[in-house]
Amino acid sequence: MRGVLVPPDVPLYRTRAERFDDLVLQAVARLEPQWEAHLSGIEFAVEEIPPADAPVTGPRGPVPLSRLEPGSEQAAQAGPGEPSEPARPADAGPRPEALITREAGEGGAGEPGPQPPRIVVYRRPLMLRADGEEDLGELVFDVVVEEFARLLGIDPGDVDPGYADGD
C-alpha cells in the first residue's frame, strides 16, 4: 500500500527529524525561564551528522554530539541582555521554530556580517546513543546545557542544577 497513512494534522505524521527539532526546542524552552536574556542572541541548529573534519574525540566519546560556534566579535559585543535579534515579548512562549535551522554543511561560515553564537546539535549520533524517546529528550537537554554553559564559561551544573554530568 502506498500513500499517506496518517493525515498531516495528527502528531504521528511528524518525521523523526521534525520530532528531534521539537526536542531541541523543548530543551531551550526549559532553560528560558532562568536564562532568557542570555539565550536571546543564540542560534540553535540541527545537523544530521558531524562534518568529516570534526575532532575525533570529545567528552562523551569518539563521535561529537554537538558543536559550539562562538560567533563573531561584533555579534558578541551586544553582550547578554542586549540581544542581537529583535526582542520578543516576555509572554511570547517558547522560541519559534524558525530559530532551529537545518544545516547541510559547515554552518554559517562565510556569510557576511556579524555572526551570532550558534549551538549545533547532531541528530543521528544522539539518536543512536539514546535508548528511547524519553532518554533522547534528556540527552538532547544535557547536550544543550553543556554547550550553553561552555558558551557562558560556567559549569553545566550552574545552568541546570539537575545536570547529571554526562549520565
Side-chain angles (χ1 to χ4, degrees), residues 85-167:
E85 63 185 44
R88 296 181 312 126
D91 61 347
R95 295 168 66 86
E97 287 188 42
L99 295 178
I100 293 280
T101 57
R102 293 210 145 272
E103 298 293 327
E106 288 215 9
E111 294 178 12
Q115 298 295 312
R118 175 182 284 193
I119 294 173
V120 180
V121 180
Y122 300 122
R123 184 174 79 86
R124 288 191 185 214
L126 283 164
M127 290 183 79
L128 290 172
R129 181 83 45 100
D131 290 329
E133 191 75 24
E134 186 175 319
D135 189 38
L136 179 61
E138 285 303 313
L139 186 57
V140 167
F141 180 70
D142 284 349
V143 167
V144 169
V145 166
E146 288 171 4
E147 293 297 351
F148 181 62
R150 201 171 84 163
L151 178 66
L152 296 179
I154 61 176
D155 186 72
D158 294 336
V159 172
D160 176 46
Y163 175 75
D165 194 25
D167 289 338

Side-chain angles (χ1 to χ4, degrees), residues 20-69:
F20 187 85
D21 291 350
D22 290 343
L23 291 175
V24 175
L25 287 170
Q26 289 169 10
V28 174
R30 283 175 63 182
L31 292 176
E32 270 193 316
Q34 184 176 359
W35 298 98
E36 185 172 5
H38 292 85
L39 286 166
S40 63
I42 301 173
E43 289 184 359
F44 292 85
V46 174
E47 290 182 14
E48 289 296 306
I49 58 173
D53 62 349
V56 179
T57 58
R60 287 189 177 247
V63 177
L65 304 178
S66 61
R67 174 178 83 234
L68 173 64
E69 297 173 2

